[in-house]
Amino acid sequence: MNRQIFTWEIPLYRLKSKELWWEWFYVLILFCAAIFLFSLNLGALPLRDWDEGTFAQVAKEIYESSFSHWHWLFPTIWQEPYLNKPPLIHSLTAVVYSFLGVSEFSTRIIGATLTASSVPLLYLLARELFLPRYYALFSSLAYLTMMPVIRHGRLAMLDGATLCFQLLLFLCLLKTRRDLRWAFPVGLSLALICLTKGWMMGVLLGAIAFLFLLWDTPRLLTSFYLWSGIILGVLPVVAWYAAQYLYYGETFIHTAIQEQSLNRVFTAVEGNQGAVWYYLVELIKYPYPWIFLALWGFKLAWENLNWSWSKFILISSSIYLIVISLMGTKLPWYVMPIYPSLALAVGVALGEVKSLPSYISYPSAWKQFFSLLTVAIMGGFIYFAITKPEDQHLLTIFILLFITFLSVTILLRKKDQQFIPVLFWGMFVSLMVFFSSNHWLWELNEAFAVKPVANLVNEFVPKDKKVYINFDYERPSLNFYSERQVTAINEEELKQLIKSPNYLLVNHKILESLNLVSDKDNIYCNLSDNIPEQSTHSFNCFEAVTKPKSNFTLLKPIQ
């Protein structure tokens, strides 16, 4: 058996010691840059619906329960079984809560750290595929500066952790081709994926790994070490699922296996549907400018099918994209596992252009593309300078992107290789400004701010009382901050509940339209029950309480 650990150490006795130090230096620098970008302004914004609010509540209940209550193995949400996903990352977050307390930062830091770790992992993976180091550097830097990777990796969700374990799986698999000892971490990586995102993700990524080996290194498919590692890795997954079935019975099969897994393949769960090209649109919308360079890299991969890097890029991206495109449920973050393959394709494109002879000019399509981007960014700056001149963060981002793309365009026309570091640095600084602003979590603008409403509930509503809110849907983030479930009701249900002493959160406009009379002390009484106006201590009367920045008024029953 070959006893080498790293393929780029071949042969080890001929490698200068300073080269090995350089490798670990790049790994350290990439991780430091990643953890800085992923943790910047991480706890400044509230948790969003739906995943973050649900994730935080599950982690909080694990944290608040005793270890002997086994909530870390059988998690709950509002004291009901939580059967959506395995609780590995939730439990790690609960451990963080015990040190840092419950906050937005402590809720997001585990996912952010694991996603940041995927950046050096991608570098090491690329070193297994490419001989020149700069291919690996370009790939990892492109991955580091992909906005969707950073944005979703910073959220309290499971997709960033899945990216980390996915890259660990593929890295170990590539190393197994030359050192069979790495077969055992292959199984561990599969177990981490299954215990994070569920068994279906493990099966899908495992199938992609199998197809790659079948095409690239079929001899490994008969390796005792590989299958031993996989079996050892699968054992804790089987044990966890068996424990859930023994504890919950058929409820676990119906909810976790069928509703939360298989149904997502064949139906649009919770109305999350889209066309077959849904994810193609997602890939076109966000990872600029890398998507254009990635297409160039895919073209090069198709022209070099005899190389392992080509096989890996094509297999890992195409199979996954086809599967999720055919699924009934469509969600933006399902496309996340494709981004490492896109980054590798970008690394190929930039590496090929860097190695072009001096007498060959750079592709004209690149010059035209960055020229067009420069014009588009200038147009965006002018538009927002007119419509939102007070938004300094947004205008600064546009200025930085304009300078970056203009500089890249000029350097491309001069055939100057400095366009590559200029592009990476410009994107990094632009993203740094973007994530230091409040714009990175734009979903918060889709509905009312939950924190002022939650403060209203926590201050004026006893813990044992139910609260109702006149809104279209229930918000998990509001439940989390209110430390109780706030039930969403429509206007008809509100008119019925107002006849009895309930705690009601009512929009200011709706309050004016209700059949209530009020006095100077913010006391509202229900006219439909013929309550005299002077009888303000009736159960049919409410005190109206509000807070600054709150879109809702709390109707507090007068006892």
PDB file of all heavy atoms in Angstrom, residues 233-255:
ATOM      1  N   GLY A 233     -18.854   3.817   8.102  1.00  0.00           N
ATOM      2  CA  GLY A 233     -19.484   5.135   8.146  1.00  0.00           C
ATOM      3  C   GLY A 233     -20.993   5.062   8.183  1.00  0.00           C
ATOM      4  O   GLY A 233     -21.656   5.901   8.824  1.00  0.00           O
ATOM      5  N   VAL A 234     -21.548   4.068   7.527  1.00  0.00           N
ATOM      6  CA  VAL A 234     -23.002   3.941   7.459  1.00  0.00           C
ATOM      7  C   VAL A 234     -23.584   3.459   8.795  1.00  0.00           C
ATOM      8  O   VAL A 234     -24.737   3.762   9.123  1.00  0.00           O
ATOM      9  CB  VAL A 234     -23.387   2.985   6.311  1.00  0.00           C
ATOM     10  CG1 VAL A 234     -24.847   2.562   6.400  1.00  0.00           C
ATOM     11  CG2 VAL A 234     -23.120   3.645   4.960  1.00  0.00           C
ATOM     12  N   LEU A 235     -22.791   2.749   9.575  1.00  0.00           N
ATOM     13  CA  LEU A 235     -23.310   2.170  10.828  1.00  0.00           C
ATOM     14  C   LEU A 235     -23.936   3.204  11.766  1.00  0.00           C
ATOM     15  O   LEU A 235     -25.050   2.986  12.263  1.00  0.00           O
ATOM     16  CB  LEU A 235     -22.195   1.400  11.541  1.00  0.00           C
ATOM     17  CG  LEU A 235     -21.792   0.056  10.906  1.00  0.00           C
ATOM     18  CD1 LEU A 235     -20.655  -0.580  11.686  1.00  0.00           C
ATOM     19  CD2 LEU A 235     -22.994  -0.885  10.837  1.00  0.00           C
ATOM     20  N   PRO A 236     -23.281   4.339  12.068  1.00  0.00           N
ATOM     21  CA  PRO A 236     -23.953   5.320  12.953  1.00  0.00           C
ATOM     22  C   PRO A 236     -25.212   5.914  12.339  1.00  0.00           C
ATOM     23  O   PRO A 236     -26.142   6.268  13.070  1.00  0.00           O
ATOM     24  CB  PRO A 236     -22.882   6.404  13.159  1.00  0.00           C
ATOM     25  CG  PRO A 236     -21.888   6.211  12.083  1.00  0.00           C
ATOM     26  CD  PRO A 236     -21.903   4.753  11.758  1.00  0.00           C
ATOM     27  N   VAL A 237     -25.262   6.011  11.013  1.00  0.00           N
ATOM     28  CA  VAL A 237     -26.473   6.518  10.355  1.00  0.00           C
ATOM     29  C   VAL A 237     -27.615   5.529  10.542  1.00  0.00           C
ATOM     30  O   VAL A 237     -28.738   5.906  10.904  1.00  0.00           O
ATOM     31  CB  VAL A 237     -26.210   6.769   8.852  1.00  0.00           C
ATOM     32  CG1 VAL A 237     -27.474   7.265   8.173  1.00  0.00           C
ATOM     33  CG2 VAL A 237     -25.074   7.761   8.669  1.00  0.00           C
ATOM     34  N   VAL A 238     -27.321   4.258  10.308  1.00  0.00           N
ATOM     35  CA  VAL A 238     -28.342   3.215  10.497  1.00  0.00           C
ATOM     36  C   VAL A 238     -28.788   3.175  11.949  1.00  0.00           C
ATOM     37  O   VAL A 238     -29.986   3.041  12.248  1.00  0.00           O
ATOM     38  CB  VAL A 238     -27.786   1.846  10.053  1.00  0.00           C
ATOM     39  CG1 VAL A 238     -28.770   0.732  10.411  1.00  0.00           C
ATOM     40  CG2 VAL A 238     -27.498   1.841   8.564  1.00  0.00           C
ATOM     41  N   ALA A 239     -27.832   3.334  12.866  1.00  0.00           N
ATOM     42  CA  ALA A 239     -28.173   3.311  14.295  1.00  0.00           C
ATOM     43  C   ALA A 239     -29.093   4.465  14.648  1.00  0.00           C
ATOM     44  O   ALA A 239     -30.063   4.294  15.416  1.00  0.00           O
ATOM     45  CB  ALA A 239     -26.892   3.364  15.129  1.00  0.00           C
ATOM     46  N   TRP A 240     -28.817   5.656  14.102  1.00  0.00           N
ATOM     47  CA  TRP A 240     -29.663   6.814  14.415  1.00  0.00           C
ATOM     48  C   TRP A 240     -31.076   6.626  13.870  1.00  0.00           C
ATOM     49  O   TRP A 240     -32.061   6.869  14.584  1.00  0.00           O
ATOM     50  CB  TRP A 240     -29.053   8.093  13.841  1.00  0.00           C
ATOM     51  CG  TRP A 240     -29.835   9.311  14.228  1.00  0.00           C
ATOM     52  CD1 TRP A 240     -29.734  10.011  15.390  1.00  0.00           C
ATOM     53  CD2 TRP A 240     -30.875   9.945  13.466  1.00  0.00           C
ATOM     54  NE1 TRP A 240     -30.635  11.051  15.408  1.00  0.00           N
ATOM     55  CE2 TRP A 240     -31.348  11.037  14.243  1.00  0.00           C
ATOM     56  CE3 TRP A 240     -31.441   9.708  12.226  1.00  0.00           C
ATOM     57  CZ2 TRP A 240     -32.365  11.875  13.794  1.00  0.00           C
ATOM     58  CZ3 TRP A 240     -32.452  10.539  11.776  1.00  0.00           C
ATOM     59  CH2 TRP A 240     -32.912  11.614  12.543  1.00  0.00           C
ATOM     60  N   TYR A 241     -31.177   6.194  12.624  1.00  0.00           N
ATOM     61  CA  TYR A 241     -32.507   5.996  12.045  1.00  0.00           C
ATOM     62  C   TYR A 241     -33.261   4.871  12.749  1.00  0.00           C
ATOM     63  O   TYR A 241     -34.486   4.955  12.932  1.00  0.00           O
ATOM     64  CB  TYR A 241     -32.388   5.713  10.543  1.00  0.00           C
ATOM     65  CG  TYR A 241     -32.287   6.969   9.711  1.00  0.00           C
ATOM     66  CD1 TYR A 241     -31.056   7.520   9.372  1.00  0.00           C
ATOM     67  CD2 TYR A 241     -33.435   7.628   9.269  1.00  0.00           C
ATOM     68  CE1 TYR A 241     -30.961   8.692   8.625  1.00  0.00           C
ATOM     69  CE2 TYR A 241     -33.349   8.795   8.523  1.00  0.00           C
ATOM     70  CZ  TYR A 241     -32.114   9.320   8.211  1.00  0.00           C
ATOM     71  OH  TYR A 241     -32.035  10.484   7.474  1.00  0.00           O
ATOM     72  N   ALA A 242     -32.555   3.814  13.170  1.00  0.00           N
ATOM     73  CA  ALA A 242     -33.204   2.728  13.912  1.00  0.00           C
ATOM     74  C   ALA A 242     -33.720   3.230  15.259  1.00  0.00           C
ATOM     75  O   ALA A 242     -34.832   2.880  15.685  1.00  0.00           O
ATOM     76  CB  ALA A 242     -32.222   1.577  14.108  1.00  0.00           C
ATOM     77  N   ALA A 243     -32.914   4.071  15.923  1.00  0.00           N
ATOM     78  CA  ALA A 243     -33.337   4.630  17.209  1.00  0.00           C
ATOM     79  C   ALA A 243     -34.581   5.498  17.047  1.00  0.00           C
ATOM     80  O   ALA A 243     -35.503   5.453  17.882  1.00  0.00           O
ATOM     81  CB  ALA A 243     -32.198   5.437  17.822  1.00  0.00           C
ATOM     82  N   GLN A 244     -34.633   6.277  15.966  1.00  0.00           N
ATOM     83  CA  GLN A 244     -35.810   7.117  15.730  1.00  0.00           C
ATOM     84  C   GLN A 244     -37.053   6.266  15.495  1.00  0.00           C
ATOM     85  O   GLN A 244     -38.147   6.570  15.994  1.00  0.00           O
ATOM     86  CB  GLN A 244     -35.576   8.030  14.515  1.00  0.00           C
ATOM     87  CG  GLN A 244     -34.374   8.936  14.619  1.00  0.00           C
ATOM     88  CD  GLN A 244     -34.436   9.871  15.808  1.00  0.00           C
ATOM     89  OE1 GLN A 244     -35.381  10.655  15.966  1.00  0.00           O
ATOM     90  NE2 GLN A 244     -33.425   9.791  16.663  1.00  0.00           N
ATOM     91  N   TYR A 245     -36.883   5.195  14.733  1.00  0.00           N
ATOM     92  CA  TYR A 245     -38.042   4.327  14.449  1.00  0.00           C
ATOM     93  C   TYR A 245     -38.527   3.626  15.721  1.00  0.00           C
ATOM     94  O   TYR A 245     -39.740   3.531  15.961  1.00  0.00           O
ATOM     95  CB  TYR A 245     -37.666   3.295  13.387  1.00  0.00           C
ATOM     96  CG  TYR A 245     -38.782   2.320  13.102  1.00  0.00           C
ATOM     97  CD1 TYR A 245     -39.924   2.721  12.401  1.00  0.00           C
ATOM     98  CD2 TYR A 245     -38.710   1.003  13.550  1.00  0.00           C
ATOM     99  CE1 TYR A 245     -40.960   1.837  12.147  1.00  0.00           C
ATOM    100  CE2 TYR A 245     -39.736   0.109  13.308  1.00  0.00           C
ATOM    101  CZ  TYR A 245     -40.866   0.533  12.607  1.00  0.00           C
ATOM    102  OH  TYR A 245     -41.889  -0.348  12.363  1.00  0.00           O
ATOM    103  N   LEU A 246     -37.586   3.154  16.545  1.00  0.00           N
ATOM    104  CA  LEU A 246     -37.979   2.474  17.775  1.00  0.00           C
ATOM    105  C   LEU A 246     -38.667   3.436  18.740  1.00  0.00           C
ATOM    106  O   LEU A 246     -39.534   3.035  19.518  1.00  0.00           O
ATOM    107  CB  LEU A 246     -36.748   1.844  18.436  1.00  0.00           C
ATOM    108  CG  LEU A 246     -36.104   0.677  17.682  1.00  0.00           C
ATOM    109  CD1 LEU A 246     -34.817   0.237  18.372  1.00  0.00           C
ATOM    110  CD2 LEU A 246     -37.072  -0.500  17.571  1.00  0.00           C
ATOM    111  N   TYR A 247     -38.282   4.705  18.692  1.00  0.00           N
ATOM    112  CA  TYR A 247     -38.831   5.689  19.622  1.00  0.00           C
ATOM    113  C   TYR A 247     -40.168   6.250  19.141  1.00  0.00           C
ATOM    114  O   TYR A 247     -41.107   6.387  19.920  1.00  0.00           O
ATOM    115  CB  TYR A 247     -37.822   6.829  19.806  1.00  0.00           C
ATOM    116  CG  TYR A 247     -38.147   7.774  20.927  1.00  0.00           C
ATOM    117  CD1 TYR A 247     -37.844   7.455  22.249  1.00  0.00           C
ATOM    118  CD2 TYR A 247     -38.764   9.002  20.677  1.00  0.00           C
ATOM    119  CE1 TYR A 247     -38.130   8.329  23.290  1.00  0.00           C
ATOM    120  CE2 TYR A 247     -39.052   9.891  21.708  1.00  0.00           C
ATOM    121  CZ  TYR A 247     -38.735   9.543  22.997  1.00  0.00           C
ATOM    122  OH  TYR A 247     -39.033  10.409  24.019  1.00  0.00           O
ATOM    123  N   TYR A 248     -40.244   6.551  17.847  1.00  0.00           N
ATOM    124  CA  TYR A 248     -41.445   7.210  17.305  1.00  0.00           C
ATOM    125  C   TYR A 248     -42.369   6.258  16.545  1.00  0.00           C
ATOM    126  O   TYR A 248     -43.532   6.597  16.310  1.00  0.00           O
ATOM    127  CB  TYR A 248     -41.046   8.360  16.367  1.00  0.00           C
ATOM    128  CG  TYR A 248     -40.340   9.492  17.052  1.00  0.00           C
ATOM    129  CD1 TYR A 248     -39.006   9.766  16.766  1.00  0.00           C
ATOM    130  CD2 TYR A 248     -40.992  10.296  17.981  1.00  0.00           C
ATOM    131  CE1 TYR A 248     -38.348  10.817  17.396  1.00  0.00           C
ATOM    132  CE2 TYR A 248     -40.339  11.346  18.611  1.00  0.00           C
ATOM    133  CZ  TYR A 248     -39.013  11.599  18.312  1.00  0.00           C
ATOM    134  OH  TYR A 248     -38.363  12.641  18.927  1.00  0.00           O
ATOM    135  N   GLY A 249     -41.861   5.120  16.117  1.00  0.00           N
ATOM    136  CA  GLY A 249     -42.683   4.167  15.381  1.00  0.00           C
ATOM    137  C   GLY A 249     -43.014   4.642  13.973  1.00  0.00           C
ATOM    138  O   GLY A 249     -42.210   5.280  13.288  1.00  0.00           O
ATOM    139  N   GLU A 250     -44.225   4.362  13.543  1.00  0.00           N
ATOM    140  CA  GLU A 250     -44.655   4.686  12.179  1.00  0.00           C
ATOM    141  C   GLU A 250     -44.701   6.193  11.924  1.00  0.00           C
ATOM    142  O   GLU A 250     -44.612   6.630  10.775  1.00  0.00           O
ATOM    143  CB  GLU A 250     -46.037   4.085  11.911  1.00  0.00           C
ATOM    144  CG  GLU A 250     -46.053   2.565  11.864  1.00  0.00           C
ATOM    145  CD  GLU A 250     -45.180   2.017  10.751  1.00  0.00           C
ATOM    146  OE1 GLU A 250     -45.143   2.654   9.670  1.00  0.00           O
ATOM    147  OE2 GLU A 250     -44.531   0.981  10.955  1.00  0.00           O
ATOM    148  N   THR A 251     -44.824   6.978  12.987  1.00  0.00           N
ATOM    149  CA  THR A 251     -44.825   8.440  12.811  1.00  0.00           C
ATOM    150  C   THR A 251     -43.523   8.909  12.174  1.00  0.00           C
ATOM    151  O   THR A 251     -43.512   9.803  11.318  1.00  0.00           O
ATOM    152  CB  THR A 251     -45.011   9.136  14.171  1.00  0.00           C
ATOM    153  OG1 THR A 251     -46.238   8.695  14.755  1.00  0.00           O
ATOM    154  CG2 THR A 251     -45.036  10.647  14.014  1.00  0.00           C
ATOM    155  N   PHE A 252     -42.410   8.297  12.576  1.00  0.00           N
ATOM    156  CA  PHE A 252     -41.117   8.672  12.005  1.00  0.00           C
ATOM    157  C   PHE A 252     -41.054   8.325  10.526  1.00  0.00           C
ATOM    158  O   PHE A 252     -40.578   9.124   9.712  1.00  0.00           O
ATOM    159  CB  PHE A 252     -39.994   7.962  12.765  1.00  0.00           C
ATOM    160  CG  PHE A 252     -38.635   8.189  12.172  1.00  0.00           C
ATOM    161  CD1 PHE A 252     -38.005   9.415  12.305  1.00  0.00           C
ATOM    162  CD2 PHE A 252     -37.993   7.180  11.468  1.00  0.00           C
ATOM    163  CE1 PHE A 252     -36.752   9.638  11.755  1.00  0.00           C
ATOM    164  CE2 PHE A 252     -36.745   7.394  10.919  1.00  0.00           C
ATOM    165  CZ  PHE A 252     -36.117   8.621  11.064  1.00  0.00           C
ATOM    166  N   ILE A 253     -41.518   7.149  10.163  1.00  0.00           N
ATOM    167  CA  ILE A 253     -41.512   6.737   8.752  1.00  0.00           C
ATOM    168  C   ILE A 253     -42.374   7.675   7.921  1.00  0.00           C
ATOM    169  O   ILE A 253     -41.968   8.151   6.857  1.00  0.00           O
ATOM    170  CB  ILE A 253     -42.015   5.289   8.600  1.00  0.00           C
ATOM    171  CG1 ILE A 253     -41.115   4.313   9.377  1.00  0.00           C
ATOM    172  CG2 ILE A 253     -42.092   4.906   7.130  1.00  0.00           C
ATOM    173  CD1 ILE A 253     -39.705   4.245   8.870  1.00  0.00           C
ATOM    174  N   HIS A 254     -43.551   7.991   8.426  1.00  0.00           N
ATOM    175  CA  HIS A 254     -44.485   8.836   7.671  1.00  0.00           C
ATOM    176  C   HIS A 254     -43.955  10.261   7.524  1.00  0.00           C
ATOM    177  O   HIS A 254     -44.055  10.848   6.439  1.00  0.00           O
ATOM    178  CB  HIS A 254     -45.846   8.850   8.374  1.00  0.00           C
ATOM    179  CG  HIS A 254     -46.846   9.749   7.715  1.00  0.00           C
ATOM    180  ND1 HIS A 254     -47.446   9.436   6.509  1.00  0.00           N
ATOM    181  CD2 HIS A 254     -47.338  10.972   8.076  1.00  0.00           C
ATOM    182  CE1 HIS A 254     -48.269  10.418   6.160  1.00  0.00           C
ATOM    183  NE2 HIS A 254     -48.214  11.350   7.084  1.00  0.00           N
ATOM    184  N   THR A 255     -43.376  10.809   8.599  1.00  0.00           N
ATOM    185  CA  THR A 255     -42.944  12.210   8.567  1.00  0.00           C
ATOM    186  C   THR A 255     -41.548  12.369   7.984  1.00  0.00           C
ATOM    187  O   THR A 255     -41.345  13.109   7.015  1.00  0.00           O
ATOM    188  CB  THR A 255     -42.985  12.810   9.980  1.00  0.00           C
ATOM    189  OG1 THR A 255     -44.298  12.663  10.517  1.00  0.00           O
ATOM    190  CG2 THR A 255     -42.619  14.284   9.955  1.00  0.00           C
TER     191      THR A 255
END
